Amino acid sequence: MVLGRLNHAVAGKLVSSVDILRDSYTGTLTRCLESLETLDRDSPEEAKTTDALKQILNAAYQVEITVRSSSSFIKNLLEKMKQLVQSMPWKAPPVICREWKEKVAEEMLGNLSESRLARSISSQIKERLNKSHEQFSSALRQLEMRHSGRLDKIEEHRLKLRKVHAPRLAKMALESTSLRDVTLFGMPHMGREIGRGQYGVVYSCDSWGSHSPCAIKSVVPPDDKHWNDLALEFFYTKNIPEHPRIVMLRGSVIDYMYGGGTSPAVLLIMDRLQKDLYTAIKQGLDWVGRLQVSIDVVEGLRYLHSQGLVHRDVKLKNVLLDRDNRGRITDLGFCKPEAMMSGSIVGTPIHMAPELFTGHYDNSVDVYAFGILFWYVCAGHVRLPSAFEQCANKDQLWQSVKKGLRPEQPVNCSEDCWTLMKGCWEGDPSRRPFFGDVEVSLKNIVEKYKRKMANSKGSGSDRKSRGHSPRHKSSSQYRSKQIPASR
């Protein structure tokens, strides 16, 4: 009776522990193993890994407490029985009375040592777990051997998709779309040069098709790699849905007669805007205007990320402004789907996050680059940060950035702005804010600044109405002055 009750109690405790283990830790593992076994239907029938895992979990159900758990207990019982058997007829046999039974039972219960029972239970669990774990490890090794070849093939296909199939498809799309566009709208007329980049020249165009005014990006790809990059830029820019914060691509034309037909030029036709953010800051764009462009940039990057794309080259010259000084992101030359990024090192040196140099990164590199861009917005000029001017070349700059070098706090920069940009360029990508949080912070900064300006104007009006000297600036004069970030 005692042993039966102990068995029941111990088993209940062990089973409840195993159930917690099953619910909390092994559910995902079991589902993954079942999925791998389902994919491996063609293999010969062998020990299933999931069955072996179940045996590990079931080990707790098989623990038994027997009389072997207490040697003194059985020894005492046998000794009493021996006394009964060896009793001689001429001797009075021991009396099996209530007192004797109670005494024997008390000795038996006293000999049920907690430590011996615990050792017995632990020994049984250990023995069964070891046996079950050996079976699980063997089944897992067999499963790994069958799937390791598949993993190599998957990586090979993934690399081929990224390096061969995707660029080839993008190039076919570029060629076919260009043929259609030149048939429908003809060759665009290139006007004056309005910009020049690393891989091409940008010209103005009064109109092309139904679009006016336009800008034409002329690129002569020198090799297959540049052809692939250009084709992918065209594909991503052309195929994402239209968004007010992205400069949309309106068409393309391939000029096969360029350079005497030896090296065709690709003409990408897009909307023409007024200027880039670099020029706008140089020309003295006011603080509220710069903040609004920052919000526009964040909205555009959030949209790209929602489409699975990473820009990878966020900088002042890749933000264009329209007539109302609203910002749009352009130049998706380095833009890639996050799933297809090869780990290549691309971008503009001062805007590049430290993890870019490791080849392992995600869309948080755009958050880092925005943090550097926001530094220029707050500084109100386009000169390099003093911390970066100390570096003699880009290699020294990269090494310093990897060690934690960042721009200094701009003069008159508010603590809100400084905290935001420091968060964006955190060395640990996981600690950088999401663009949704960045947008909220920027809007709060704008609202706080506008409230301060309204209070300042209100107090100025009160002073004037009370007869203060006209030497104070009028509200229109105050508005025309560029206000630093801290105000």
Side-chain angles (χ1 to χ4, degrees), residues 308-320:
L309 297 172
V310 185
H311 191 281
R312 302 199 297 177
D313 196 20
V314 178
K315 59 182 180 180
L316 296 176
K317 291 192 175 182
N318 283 343
V319 178
L320 302 183

Side-chain angles (χ1 to χ4, degrees), residues 198-432:
Q198 185 176 359
Y199 298 111
V201 182
V202 182
Y203 299 94
S204 65
C205 177
D206 292 335
S207 64
W208 182 79
S210 59
H211 307 291
S212 176
C214 302
I216 301 174
K217 180 179 179 181
S218 173
V219 184
V220 182
D223 51 38
D224 288 340
K225 180 184 182 303
H226 286 82
W227 262 108
N228 292 341
D229 291 342
L230 184 63
L232 288 170
E233 175 188 355
F234 165 81
F235 187 84
Y236 300 137
T237 312
K238 184 72 174 176
N239 287 282
I240 60 173
E242 188 161 348
H243 190 273
R245 304 277 72 86
I246 305 293
V247 177
M248 303 308 298
L249 188 63
R250 300 305 180 185
S252 62
V253 171
I254 299 178
D255 184 1
Y256 291 97
M257 301 309 295
Y258 184 86
T262 57
S263 181
V266 179
L267 310 179
L268 301 178
I269 300 99
M270 58 196 71
D271 295 333
R272 188 170 85 216
L273 280 76
Q274 299 301 304
K275 55 196 168 189
D276 57 35
L277 182 55
Y278 180 92
T279 303
I281 291 177
K282 283 186 70 175
Q283 292 176 351
L285 180 64
D286 63 64
W287 171 234
V288 174
R290 300 199 303 272
L291 275 179
Q292 182 57 61
V293 174
S294 301
I295 295 173
D296 295 339
V297 171
V298 170
E299 289 178 355
L301 290 171
R302 286 187 71 187
Y303 180 71
L304 287 178
H305 289 186
S306 73
Q307 300 296 310
L309 297 172
V310 185
H311 191 281
R312 302 199 297 177
D313 196 20
V314 178
K315 59 182 180 180
L316 296 176
K317 291 192 175 182
N318 283 343
V319 178
L320 302 183
L321 276 60
D322 60 18
R323 294 181 183 276
D324 299 322
N325 283 334
R326 297 298 300 272
R328 298 189 193 182
I329 297 172
T330 188
D331 197 351
L332 305 188
F334 292 141
C335 193
K336 283 286 182 70
E338 191 167 10
M340 288 186 63
M341 289 193 301
S342 60
S344 54
I345 301 176
V346 297
T348 303
I350 63 170
H351 292 267
M352 292 168 66
E355 68 269 19
L356 270 164
F357 307 103
T358 68
H360 302 286
Y361 53 87
D362 55 22
N363 62 16
S364 65
V365 297
D366 285 348
V367 179
Y368 180 97
F370 173 79
I372 303 296
L373 180 143
F374 190 58
W375 183 91
Y376 285 104
V377 166
C378 294
H381 61 73
V382 295
R383 298 187 301 274
L384 272 177
S386 299
F388 289 173
E389 282 184 339
Q390 312 282 333
C391 302
N393 51 55
K394 68 178 182 181
D395 291 329
Q396 184 182 349
L397 171 63
W398 287 345
Q399 292 299 326
S400 301
V401 166
K402 285 191 283 186
K403 292 177 182 177
L405 178 70
R406 299 293 186 272
E408 68 281 357
Q409 183 172 354
V411 178
N412 294 329
C413 175
S414 70
E415 284 304 314
D416 289 343
C417 295
W418 179 235
T419 300
L420 177 59
M421 69 180 78
K422 285 198 301 181
C424 289
W425 64 46
E426 273 279 0
D428 181 358
S430 65
R431 298 180 62 183
R432 295 172 196 158

Side-chain angles (χ1 to χ4, degrees), residues 18-258:
V18 171
D19 286 341
I20 292 173
L21 179 68
R22 178 185 289 108
D23 295 340
S24 304
Y25 300 102
T26 63
T28 302
L29 176 60
T30 302
R31 288 191 294 274
C32 291
L33 293 174
E34 286 175 347
S35 175
L36 290 172
E37 288 171 349
T38 302
L39 292 171
D40 199 36
R41 290 174 179 171
D42 297 333
S43 65
E45 285 296 325
E46 295 177 354
K48 285 191 174 182
T49 316
T50 47
D51 291 341
L53 182 61
K54 289 175 184 175
Q55 289 181 15
I56 294 178
L57 297 176
N58 291 337
Y61 293 91
Q62 301 167 2
V63 174
E64 295 179 359
I65 300 174
T66 65
V67 291
R68 291 194 302 274
S69 302
S70 178
S71 58
S72 59
F73 165 74
I74 191 64
K75 183 178 179 182
N76 194 354
L77 180 61
L78 291 174
E79 187 63 33
K80 297 300 179 183
M81 295 303 297
K82 184 178 179 182
Q83 292 179 12
L84 289 173
V85 173
Q86 292 181 348
S87 296
M88 301 302 293
W90 55 86
K91 292 183 179 178
V95 180
I96 310 299
C97 60
R98 179 182 180 85
E99 183 182 351
W100 182 85
K101 290 179 181 179
E102 289 179 350
K103 181 181 178 181
V104 172
E106 187 177 350
E107 290 178 0
M108 290 178 180
L109 293 175
N111 287 324
L112 283 174
S113 167
E114 290 183 9
S115 60
R116 282 196 295 271
L117 284 173
R119 283 196 299 271
S120 173
I121 293 169
S122 299
S123 175
Q124 290 182 65
I125 291 180
K126 185 177 179 180
E127 180 182 351
R128 287 177 170 81
L129 281 178
N130 285 339
K131 186 176 179 180
S132 302
H133 187 265
E134 288 174 4
Q135 295 175 357
F136 175 73
S137 298
S138 175
L140 196 61
R141 283 193 296 270
Q142 293 173 8
L143 189 64
E144 182 183 4
M145 289 174 60
R146 293 196 295 270
H147 284 279
S148 59
R150 287 184 64 252
L151 291 173
D152 293 338
K153 289 179 181 178
I154 288 172
E155 182 59 29
E156 182 181 333
H157 290 323
R158 181 174 174 271
L159 187 63
K160 196 170 183 180
L161 177 68
R162 188 173 67 236
K163 297 289 187 181
V164 179
H165 299 309
R168 184 179 298 172
L169 176 64
K171 191 174 180 181
M172 291 173 61
L174 174 60
E175 291 172 341
S176 60
T177 304
S178 298
L179 179 61
R180 183 200 64 187
D181 287 345
V182 75
T183 302
L184 293 176
F185 309 117
M187 290 289 292
H189 175 71
M190 290 187 288
R192 62 183 180 84
E193 180 181 323
I194 57 175
R196 184 177 290 266
Q198 185 176 359
Y199 298 111
V201 182
V202 182
Y203 299 94
S204 65
C205 177
D206 292 335
S207 64
W208 182 79
S210 59
H211 307 291
S212 176
C214 302
I216 301 174
K217 180 179 179 181
S218 173
V219 184
V220 182
D223 51 38
D224 288 340
K225 180 184 182 303
H226 286 82
W227 262 108
N228 292 341
D229 291 342
L230 184 63
L232 288 170
E233 175 188 355
F234 165 81
F235 187 84
Y236 300 137
T237 312
K238 184 72 174 176
N239 287 282
I240 60 173
E242 188 161 348
H243 190 273
R245 304 277 72 86
I246 305 293
V247 177
M248 303 308 298
L249 188 63
R250 300 305 180 185
S252 62
V253 171
I254 299 178
D255 184 1
Y256 291 97
M257 301 309 295
Y258 184 86

